[in-house]
Amino acid sequence: MPKHAQAADAPVYGIRPQKPGMYLGLFHGRDTPNQVMNDWGFDGPALGPLQHVHTTYACSVNLQFTCPSDAHLLTGNNDTFLELQIDGDLLCFDGKLYGDWTVYVVTPEECFRPPDTFRQNTRPNDLRRQAKPIPWDDGS
């Protein structure tokens, strides 16, 4: 797979995605298979929303995005089907390697603010962004 510079608004594992759905979160990242790890490495992308995730003989992970625009945001093309290779015990994506990956669901209730019932001027119902705080972000 050619390397693709991810868009700034592409979902990252550990930060709540802007759309509800099923995601494949990549983490415990490294640049090379033999890299000496002094910590857990870096968080990778949250691939999704997805229709399905399927692993074949522990050598590849196949997934399908729900729409071409989500695929394009993360891969640089509109193909909704993506096959990720496993190198030893590491999952490969976009020239990086990940020791851990997880499938998880973000519900609509986790993304949208509850309706305002007590304010004269209601807030916009923008999607919530964060699942866990980032040290440099005050959450506003």
Side-chain angles (χ1 to χ4, degrees), residues 31-48:
D31 295 312
T32 64
N34 299 323
Q35 182 175 340
V36 176
M37 302 297 290
N38 296 323
D39 200 2
W40 277 89
F42 52 84
D43 290 336
L47 303 172

Side-chain angles (χ1 to χ4, degrees), residues 17 19 23 27 32 39 45 57-58 61 68 78 82 84 86 96 98 109 118-119 121 128 130:
K19 290 183 176 181
Y23 288 82
F27 55 106
T32 64
D39 200 2
Y57 291 106
V61 175
N78 292 334
L82 181 63
L84 304 174
I86 298 176
K96 305 290 183 187
Y98 300 92
E109 294 79 20
F118 60 91
R119 299 177 195 269
N121 298 322
R128 294 183 188 167
Q130 289 187 231

Side-chain angles (χ1 to χ4, degrees), residues 19-118:
K19 290 183 176 181
M22 180 174 59
Y23 288 82
L24 177 65
L26 308 180
F27 55 106
H28 198 176
R30 68 210 52 212
D31 295 312
T32 64
N34 299 323
Q35 182 175 340
V36 176
M37 302 297 290
N38 296 323
D39 200 2
W40 277 89
F42 52 84
D43 290 336
L47 303 172
L50 302 172
Q51 289 288 338
H52 73 266
V53 177
H54 176 80
T55 302
T56 303
Y57 291 106
C59 67
S60 68
V61 175
N62 302 285
L63 50 90
Q64 181 181 8
F65 289 92
T66 56
C67 70
S69 62
D70 293 325
H72 190 272
L73 183 64
L74 286 152
T75 67
N77 66 59
N78 292 334
D79 189 358
T80 58
F81 291 95
L82 181 63
E83 180 178 353
L84 304 174
Q85 296 302 311
I86 298 176
D87 180 1
D89 59 353
L90 301 170
L91 186 65
C92 308
F93 177 74
D94 199 24
K96 305 290 183 187
L97 303 161
Y98 300 92
D100 289 287
W101 53 94
T102 186
V103 174
Y104 63 100
V105 173
V106 176
T107 65
E109 294 79 20
E110 292 176 281
C111 294
F112 297 100
R113 291 181 180 176
D116 279 335
T117 56
F118 60 91

